[in-house]
Amino acid sequence: MRFVQIEILPSGKALVDIDKLTHAVPQEGGSRLFLGAQHLDVPYGLDQIENVLAGREPNDDGENGMTGFRVS
């Protein structure tokens, strides 16, 4: 299992098993992620979800090339 911490609506955080993610549907102000019979509403567009699940910033365009590593 691969877990990732993700922001959910209303403001909060959840650990998500990304192996159970079946699909995502766009919604106003974010997306709905379906995990089997359950769903989570997240504040990300479909174009941002891949970055978030990979541990990158939602708006990462790849220019920094840090691949999940953060420089402080």
Side-chain angles (χ1 to χ4, degrees):
M1 289 186 265
R2 296 176 296 162
F3 288 93
V4 63
Q5 184 170 312
I6 191 167
E7 289 180 43
I8 58 174
L9 297 174
S11 294
K13 295 189 183 289
L15 281 179
V16 174
D17 180 354
I18 60 175
D19 293 324
K20 292 185 179 177
L21 180 64
T22 57
H23 61 287
V25 177
Q27 289 192 320
E28 186 176 324
S31 302
R32 178 166 281 185
L33 302 181
F34 287 87
L35 303 151
Q38 299 179 340
H39 68 268
L40 294 173
D41 292 329
V42 298
Y44 311 112
L46 295 179
D47 56 338
Q48 299 171 319
I49 289 175
E50 183 178 354
N51 283 336
V52 172
L53 294 178
R56 297 185 295 264
E57 294 297 320
N59 296 316
D60 185 350
D61 59 6
E63 287 187 18
N64 295 326
M66 297 302 292
T67 317
F69 293 95
R70 198 176 302 253
V71 177
S72 300

